Amino acid sequence: MDYQTLKINKHEKWCELILHRPDSLNAINSVLVNELSHFFEEIEKDEECYLIIITGHGKAFAAGADIQEMQDMSSGQASSFSAKIQEVFLHIKEMPQLVVGFINGYALGGGMELAMACDFRIASSKAQFGQPELKLGLVPGFAATQILPRLTNVADALFMFSTAEMLNAYQALELRLVQQVVPEAEFQDYKIKLVDEIGMQGPQALRKIKNLVHKGMAMSFKDGCAMESQEFGSLFGSRSQGEEGMKAFLHKRKPKW
Ligand code: CO8
């Protein structure tokens, strides 16, 4: 498929997806959502790919939903658009690959919601975060009311929504909205470092860890622990990746996954 709003840099075992609508700071419109959905459906079939990085073109990650497109929606259309995007964004948690948001600039409204849908986030020192929907007389529609209080806490989420204030990257780090802030000049190098670091881990274990954590969050503690024991055991046995990883350690060599 020829994407109009996404640029895809496909590498052998990882992939970078760049949101690319230069005229609107990568605002999220229906074309972009359909393309994202198509991209996710295709890439999740790729058994070699262990990591997907999502970032934005230019000075924005994404400046929110496309206000131009949204203004003509009826109430019913707005609700279905919201539901469709929630489905696409929330699908990220079910994908076998780790999905990391590299937040290069503005991540506002729906843009911040896409960032929050990723498994974790790395921010450039230039990144800015905000949920300015209330300024437009709206509430968030791409799951921020549910994700933000879970990532931070209820009071911080309500403060962010009701003031519509933008946070810089370091303030976002303080709230644990992002896991690292990297000086802008080192942002690209950090990406490669992270790709290499994650690429050294056991590939089967990497796929399992994402599933264990996300699935476990929706289970009782006890059931989550039982699932962990099950998956732990599945990596043992002759010719398993666990066996290879442990042997490699004991023989002081690199594992051959
Ligand atoms: N939608 C459409 N166009 C946009 C958007 C957007 N969200 N953001 C920026 N643009 C356009 C601008 O209109 C401008 O276009 P033009 O050059 O044709 O005038 C171009 O991008 C560049 O923007 P600016 O000139 O404004 O750039 P600045 O550097 O001066 O400002 C800002 C950057 C601060 C990011 C500013 O553009 C801004 O405030 N943008 C809007 C941010 C916003 O309010 N986002 C939230 C949108 S609502 C939302 O996301 C709710 C999601 C739930 C939807 C539910 C489903 C129906």
Side-chain angles (χ1 to χ4, degrees):
M1 177 175 180
D2 279 339
Y3 294 112
Q4 294 171 40
T5 64
L6 307 177
K7 293 243 183 277
I8 315 285
N9 293 329
K10 180 91 180 62
H11 301 263
E12 199 189 340
K13 292 189 177 180
W14 65 282
C15 187
E16 180 180 43
L17 178 149
I18 304 170
L19 307 169
H20 194 266
R21 294 192 66 218
D23 295 342
S24 59
L25 301 180
N26 311 324
I28 298 168
N29 66 357
S30 40
V31 176
L32 189 145
V33 173
N34 286 336
E35 292 188 351
L36 259 187
S37 170
H38 182 270
F39 168 77
F40 290 150
E41 276 166 26
E42 288 303 305
I43 196 83
E44 71 182 344
K45 294 180 208 149
D46 185 337
E47 290 185 4
E48 288 295 305
C49 178
Y50 63 86
L51 177 68
I52 298 162
I53 283 175
I54 304 184
T55 192
H57 167 85
K59 67 177 182 181
F61 176 73
D66 189 321
I67 300 170
Q68 191 71 41
E69 185 182 72
M70 261 193 327
Q71 69 169 343
D72 296 325
M73 287 181 185
S74 67
S75 169
Q77 284 169 328
S79 287
S80 352
F81 189 52
S82 155
K84 156 94 185 165
I85 298 190
Q86 286 177 1
E87 195 186 309
V88 174
F89 285 10
L90 298 181
H91 182 71
I92 292 175
K93 303 266 182 267
E94 284 156 22
M95 291 177 61
Q97 295 92 354
L98 201 63
V99 180
V100 180
F102 263 71
I103 318 304
N104 52 303
Y106 292 115
L108 304 176
M112 179 162 148
E113 289 168 302
L114 175 57
M116 290 193 293
C118 294
D119 292 316
F120 60 82
R121 289 147 291 283
I122 308 297
S124 142
S125 51
K126 280 240 167 133
Q128 300 212 54
F129 298 81
Q131 294 289 165
E133 288 86 348
L134 271 69
K135 269 192 192 170
L136 301 171
L138 302 173
V139 294
F142 306 164
T145 58
Q146 304 310 302
I147 302 181
L148 187 56
R150 285 172 168 83
L151 279 183
T152 60
N153 60 62
V154 171
D156 283 324
L158 281 170
F159 179 78
M160 251 187 116
F161 290 135
S162 55
T163 60
E165 261 179 32
M166 275 198 226
L167 302 183
N168 65 35
Y170 296 97
Q171 291 169 314
L173 180 65
E174 237 172 77
L175 283 185
R176 303 308 299 162
L177 260 179
V178 301
Q179 281 52 61
Q180 293 272 346
V181 178
V182 181
E184 204 216 354
E186 294 161 29
F187 199 51
Q188 297 308 322
D189 288 347
Y190 186 85
K191 192 191 312 169
I192 301 306
K193 180 174 168 281
L194 189 78
V195 165
D196 289 346
E197 217 163 70
I198 296 175
M200 286 193 300
Q201 319 304 338
Q204 285 174 357
L206 184 63
R207 285 187 171 222
K208 286 181 189 290
I209 196 78
K210 169 168 175 169
N211 189 44
L212 273 169
V213 171
H214 288 309
K215 227 172 161 181
M217 291 298 286
M219 285 179 170
S220 73
F221 186 79
K222 213 170 156 199
D223 289 349
C225 289
M227 176 174 67
E228 182 185 283
S229 300
Q230 197 68 34
E231 292 293 31
F232 184 69
S234 76
L235 291 165
F236 280 72
S238 62
R239 285 197 286 272
S240 70
Q241 288 192 350
E243 186 189 65
E244 166 58 13
M246 290 185 283
K247 254 192 198 153
F249 173 79
L250 294 171
H251 290 97
K252 301 190 190 309
R253 63 164 172 82
K254 278 193 175 168
K256 297 185 199 94
W257 305 123

